[in-house]
Amino acid sequence: MSTQDFIPVGDALAAYVAGALTTPASAADRELGRLHILDTLASIVACRDLEPAVLARDYALSLSGGAERNAATILGTELRAGIVDAAFASAMTGHGAEINDFIPSAFVQPGPAVLSVALAVAETRGATGAELLAAVIAGYEIAGRMPKALGVDNLRRAGIANHGIGPQFGAATAAAVLMRLPRAMIADVFTFCAQQASGSWQWLLDVEHIEKAFVFAGMGARDGLHAALMAAAGFRGVREALDHPGGWMRGPLFAGGDADRAYLIKDLGVRSELPHTAFKRYPVGGPTQPAVEALLDLTKEVAGAEVASVQIEMPGRWQAFRDAAMPALNLRYLAAIILLDGRLDFVGAQSLQRMGGDAAARTLMDKVEIRHDPAQEAAPGQPRTESARVAVLLADGRRLERYVPHVLGFPSHPMSAADVEAKAAELMAPALGQARASAVIAAVRNLETLPDAGALVRLIAR
C-alpha cells in the first residue's frame, strides 16, 4: 500500500472499543454471541481435568493462589488466583482439547482467551450479563479482524502464529470494554498488545496439546489482560502503534502481501465477524472434521470387515494432518480408531497413549493415505473451504466412498441454536449432571437479563 493509500485505523478502533457498552450489537449478533459463550463454557467444563488445564491451574495457584485483592475464579473450579493468573488458567482449560470454536478465515480460536478474560473482569467488577455479552462480541470482532488486517499469508511467511495474535487483541478488547476504559486509553492498550504480540507455528510440532493450548489461548488471555490492566494503571506508550510509519502494524513484516489494514475498521460495528466463526461438531482439529464425518458415516457399511486401504483427499495443509504428532490432528490415527470402534469419543480423540500403544490402531494407520486434492481448493479470493473425500477399500473388493463438502458448524453451514445447545449438553452433562448442564444453557439463553455475570462462573464450578 502506498503512502497516498494509507488509511488510519487507530481512532476508529478506539471509538468502537470505548463505545461497545453503549452501542448495542444487532439481535442476530447478540444471539451468536450467546451461543459462542455457551460453546466455550461447555469446552471449559469438558476439558477441566485434561493435562493442559491441570498444569495451568497448578501454575496459577503457585503464583497467586489464595489472593484476595483483584482475584478471580479459575473457570470450572471454585479455586481463586490473581486475575491474570486465573484468566490464563481458564483459557488454557478452554483449549485443553479440540472442541472449542474457531474462525477459519483468520486462523484463530477466540473463545477460550476472550471469554476467560471477560468473565474474570466481569466477576471482579460486578458486570451484568448484558455487559459481558457486549464485551465478548467486541473481543471476537477484533480477534477475527486483526490477523486479516495484518495478512494471513504475511503472518505465515513470518512464522508468526495468527492463533496467538488474534486472541491477544480480542482478550484485550474484552477487558477494556468491561473496565470502561476511555477512548484516549485504548491506544495504550493496543500498543502494549503490539509489544507482546507473538506465537510461532512450531505449535504444529506439539505432541501433548500443552504448547498449543498456550499459544492459542493462555498466552493471548494473559498478555491481552496485562495490556488492559497496564493502561488502566497509567502505563502509556506509543499511541500510534497501528498508524505511525515506524509503528508495529506498518512494519516490514506486514508491508504488502495480503495485508489489508482497512479490514480492521471497515463497517466496524455494522458487519460482524461472528458469522465467520465456526462451531466444531467433533473433538478434532477443524480441517479434519469433514474426513471424520465421512468415516463415521461409513462405519455401518464397514461393520467389522477387513480394511485393505483408506484414501483421504482434502484441500489445504494436508501434510500437517497426515503427520501430526497430536492425536486430535492426525487423520491417520482418527481414521483408524473410527473404523475400529465404529464411533469417535472425546477421550479417544485426544489419547496420545492409544495413538502410540494400540497395536491394532497402528496397523490400520499404516493403511491410511492422505492426499492433496487441488479440485477441493477454494478459488482465489473465495472463502477458505474445509471438505474431504474418503474412500475405504475392503479386503473383499468393495470400495466405499463418501464426499463431505462441509460439516455442520462451518460458517457456510452454521449450527442452529438447538444444535449448539445439544452439543453443550453433551459435553457438560457427564461432569455437571443433566440438571446443572440445563441450568447453564438456560442462564446463557437469558444472559441479557442476568444481573450478575459471575453467576455463570458459579454454575460451572466443581
Side-chain angles (χ1 to χ4, degrees), residues 220-440:
R222 180 198 65 190
D223 295 348
L225 181 51
H226 260 145
L229 290 170
M230 289 169 68
F235 283 72
R236 297 177 299 281
V238 177
R239 294 185 175 178
E240 293 185 310
L242 305 183
D243 291 331
H244 195 282
W248 173 75
M249 193 172 182
R250 295 183 69 186
L253 286 178
F254 312 125
D258 63 335
D260 183 8
R261 59 182 290 111
Y263 191 89
L264 192 57
I265 60 169
K266 185 178 181 181
D267 297 326
L268 189 59
V270 177
R271 182 199 58 76
S272 174
E273 290 293 297
L274 281 167
H276 301 296
T277 308
F279 295 97
K280 287 182 181 171
R281 175 63 186 88
Y282 306 105
V284 297
T288 69
Q289 303 245 337
V292 164
E293 182 160 293
L295 286 158
L296 287 169
D297 191 45
L298 287 168
T299 54
K300 290 182 180 179
E301 294 181 57
V302 174
E306 183 181 350
V307 174
S309 66
V310 180
Q311 295 177 357
I312 300 175
E313 297 178 341
M314 62 184 291
R317 294 169 63 91
W318 60 279
Q319 303 101 320
F321 303 101
R322 177 193 64 190
D323 303 327
M326 196 178 299
L329 300 182
N330 189 302
L331 263 178
R332 294 168 58 243
Y333 168 69
L334 295 171
I337 63 171
I338 289 170
L339 292 173
L340 286 170
D341 301 346
R343 60 187 177 86
L344 179 68
D345 61 43
F346 185 82
V347 174
Q350 323 299 324
S351 179
L352 191 64
Q353 182 177 7
R354 185 175 185 189
M355 181 171 161
D358 185 324
R362 297 297 304 179
T363 298
L364 194 46
M365 285 174 66
D366 290 338
K367 299 179 180 181
V368 180
E369 181 180 4
I370 315 295
R371 297 176 178 173
H372 180 234
D373 182 7
Q376 294 184 52
E377 295 286 0
Q382 295 301 307
R384 168 184 162 194
T385 60
E386 289 185 350
S387 57
R389 178 174 286 103
V390 176
V392 178
L393 181 64
L394 301 179
D396 61 14
R398 286 182 294 155
R399 177 185 173 89
L400 310 174
E401 185 171 320
R402 291 290 187 278
Y403 173 65
V404 175
H406 63 269
V407 172
L408 186 67
F410 203 72
S412 58
H413 295 79
M415 285 186 177
S416 66
D419 293 328
V420 177
E421 290 182 354
K423 175 191 169 184
E426 182 180 339
L427 288 174
M428 292 191 294
L432 301 181
Q434 191 59 57
R436 282 183 67 192
S438 296
V440 175

Side-chain angles (χ1 to χ4, degrees), residues 65-302:
E68 296 182 4
R69 187 170 180 270
N70 209 22
T73 303
I74 298 173
L75 298 178
T77 78
E78 296 178 343
L79 303 169
R80 292 172 65 79
I83 187 171
V84 174
D85 297 327
F88 167 80
S90 297
M92 289 281 290
T93 303
H95 191 57
E98 295 293 323
I99 197 60
N100 59 273
D101 59 10
F102 65 111
I103 305 178
S105 54
F107 291 87
V108 298
Q109 302 195 16
V114 171
L115 183 62
S116 294
V117 166
L119 275 173
V121 177
E123 183 186 25
T124 59
R125 297 186 176 239
T128 67
E131 290 167 341
L132 174 74
L133 178 60
V136 168
I137 289 173
Y140 270 65
E141 198 63 29
I142 306 309
R145 285 176 180 255
M146 183 59 79
K148 298 177 190 178
L150 298 172
V152 169
D153 291 338
N154 286 346
L155 287 164
R156 191 190 301 275
R157 281 193 296 270
I160 301 171
N162 316 38
H163 320 84
I165 301 290
Q168 184 208 41
F169 279 87
T173 295
V177 169
L178 287 169
M179 293 164 67
R180 299 178 181 271
L181 296 187
R183 182 171 175 173
M185 280 188 180
I186 303 304
D188 292 316
V189 174
F190 288 133
T191 201
F192 290 115
C193 280
Q195 289 290 5
Q196 299 178 91
S198 60
S200 167
W201 279 87
Q202 76 174 28
W203 67 262
L204 283 166
L205 305 176
D206 186 19
V207 175
E208 298 172 298
H209 211 282
I210 296 169
E211 183 172 348
K212 186 173 188 288
F214 175 74
V215 174
F216 279 56
M219 179 176 72
R222 180 198 65 190
D223 295 348
L225 181 51
H226 260 145
L229 290 170
M230 289 169 68
F235 283 72
R236 297 177 299 281
V238 177
R239 294 185 175 178
E240 293 185 310
L242 305 183
D243 291 331
H244 195 282
W248 173 75
M249 193 172 182
R250 295 183 69 186
L253 286 178
F254 312 125
D258 63 335
D260 183 8
R261 59 182 290 111
Y263 191 89
L264 192 57
I265 60 169
K266 185 178 181 181
D267 297 326
L268 189 59
V270 177
R271 182 199 58 76
S272 174
E273 290 293 297
L274 281 167
H276 301 296
T277 308
F279 295 97
K280 287 182 181 171
R281 175 63 186 88
Y282 306 105
V284 297
T288 69
Q289 303 245 337
V292 164
E293 182 160 293
L295 286 158
L296 287 169
D297 191 45
L298 287 168
T299 54
K300 290 182 180 179
E301 294 181 57
V302 174

